[in-house]
Amino acid sequence: MPRLYRRGLAEALQKSAAGYFFPYEFIESNWRLWTFLIILAIGMWAIVTYPISPINGYIDPFYSPTVLIVPIPGLFRLTCYAYRKDYNRHLLHHPLACDNLQREDAPTRKYTGERNAILQFENLHRYLLYAGILLLPFFYYDFYLSLTFQNSLRVGSLVLLANALTLTAWTLSCHAFRHLIGGNIDCYSCAPAGNARNLLWRFQSRWNSHHEALAWISLLMFFFADLYLRGLTAGLPIDHILFKF
Ligand code: FES
């Protein structure tokens, strides 16, 4: 939906009865942040209240060793540029834009660079990225384990693979990763392996331009994988063998 039209719709809704009951963010453009917070809350509640055991060779992504260290993926996502844009602009109302000229949110509240506590905390993101990258292989291991059960490829295996791939696409399209692999170089022809790094940087930049969408898709896929396995545990006939080795 074109941005202007979306904005008009959001404003119309805000003025209507719906706007009385729902926070502006629910009908404007901040759905990604809200879905993240809701999924995080539901996930934490479900992990504690309705734990599920590995079933038919599948390990729920919420119980994979990856997420035993929940704070890391949680903080990694919370400090992601996509989400920080959401809560800085829509919840904290500061800073409102990337453009320096627009950063004076109010005469009394000038943008002073990344010096306040929240913005400094967000800078931890580059370190959380390293942890996030280290966690990725575990998701592929869960996929591999699912293949070894009955030596078959099943629908659930594809769900785990899709989860691993979308998490990988989101993580490796990160802005901090872009900086790490080549964005920090001023002169490629002077740097060691400069051409290769330039190629890599340009390839990653393509994915990086879709980072916000990937942030949301990977989140929804993670949640879907959890729901799928909960459905299996509840006895729903949703898993089928697609291929036997
Ligand atoms: Fe989104 Fe790094 S900026 S994961």
Side-chain angles (χ1 to χ4, degrees), residues 25-44:
E25 288 76 20
F26 275 105
I27 44 183
E28 215 251 358
S29 59
N30 214 11
W31 294 9
R32 183 177 46 226
L33 176 65
W34 287 113
T35 45
F36 170 53
L37 294 178
I38 290 169
I39 286 174
L40 192 65
I42 294 177
M44 294 301 97

Side-chain angles (χ1 to χ4, degrees), residues 76 80-82 125 170 174-176 211:
F76 181 49
C80 165
Y81 279 62
H125 185 73
W170 167 58
C174 170
H175 297 282
H211 185 66

